[in-house]
Amino acid sequence: MITTLRLVLIIVALTFVSGCKRITRSAHVGQSRAHGTPIADGQVVLVRQGLYRGAFILTNQTTTPETTDYKWFSRSDGAGTFNITEPAVTSSIVKDASKVEFSVYSIEWSANNPGVGWIYYSLFPADKKLKPAYEICVTDETNIAGIDANDPKWVFRGRPLGKPHTAP
C-alpha cells in the first residue's frame, strides 16, 4: 500500500519530470501592434521621429508573394512638407519589399488582401512607459502635394489604440 507521504512524493516527482511550470501571462496577450485599419494602395502615411519627418505611399500590395512597392519622402530639418524640388527632401521608390524602410524608419508591413496591407507600430498598446521608435499618422490623402506633416490636424501616435488585455 502506498502511504500518503509516498503519494505526495510521487506527485511532486512527476510534476518535475513532466515539465509542468507556472504559467505566466505577457502584458501583450490579446494585443496587436498593427494599425487599427488596413492601409490601401495609394494612401499617404506620415511618420516622424524627433526632427525627422517622413511619408510613404504603399502600392502594389500582394499576398502571393507577400510584398509591396512604396514611394517614400523624408527630411531631417523638422519641416513637414515633401516638395521634391526642395534640397532638404529626399525620396525614392522601393519595389518588392517586405518592410517599409527609409531614412531613420523601419516599419513592419504585412499583406491583408491584394491592394491592402497592415503597418505596425514599434510598441504594443500596453507599452506605456516605453518611448516609440517612431510615430505614425495614417491619412485619407492620396496626394503628397500640399501635405504639411506639422499641421496640427495630423494626429501622430506611437502605439495603437487599445486596452491592455487582462486575465479573467
Side-chain angles (χ1 to χ4, degrees):
M1 236 184 190
I2 298 177
T3 66
T4 305
L5 179 58
R6 281 189 182 182
L7 184 59
V8 168
L9 290 174
I10 290 170
I11 291 172
V12 169
L14 287 174
T15 301
F16 285 113
V17 171
S18 68
C20 288
K21 59 183 178 180
R22 183 173 175 247
I23 297 174
T24 57
R25 294 188 187 255
S26 167
H28 301 136
V29 172
Q31 294 186 6
S32 172
R33 290 186 303 110
H35 181 70
T37 56
I39 311 304
D41 278 356
Q43 195 171 354
V44 175
V45 178
L46 303 174
V47 290
R48 72 179 179 191
Q49 177 191 59
L51 288 177
Y52 287 87
R53 300 293 180 267
F56 63 91
I57 302 168
L58 299 169
T59 57
N60 194 32
Q61 297 179 80
T62 61
T63 56
T64 307
E66 189 171 4
T67 61
T68 186
D69 300 340
Y70 61 93
K71 183 166 187 176
W72 62 264
F73 305 84
S74 182
R75 63 186 311 151
S76 61
D77 60 359
T81 58
F82 301 103
N83 184 339
I84 58 173
T85 63
E86 293 180 46
V89 176
T90 56
S91 71
S92 189
I93 295 173
V94 178
K95 302 278 188 187
D96 299 321
S98 59
K99 185 182 273 194
V100 177
E101 293 182 293
F102 65 97
S103 183
V104 297
Y105 309 106
S106 181
I107 301 165
E108 290 181 55
W109 168 89
S110 66
N112 175 276
N113 283 306
V116 182
W118 299 101
I119 59 170
Y120 297 85
Y121 294 89
S122 65
L123 298 177
F124 287 92
D127 293 335
K128 303 233 185 269
K129 294 182 180 179
L130 300 176
K131 182 178 179 184
Y134 50 82
E135 295 178 302
I136 295 173
C137 175
V138 176
T139 77
D140 290 329
E141 301 292 324
T142 56
N143 186 355
I144 196 73
I147 290 181
D148 183 347
N150 292 332
D151 188 318
K153 74 178 179 181
W154 304 121
V155 178
F156 286 83
R157 292 196 329 260
R159 63 188 54 78
L161 295 175
K163 296 179 184 175
H165 176 79
T166 55

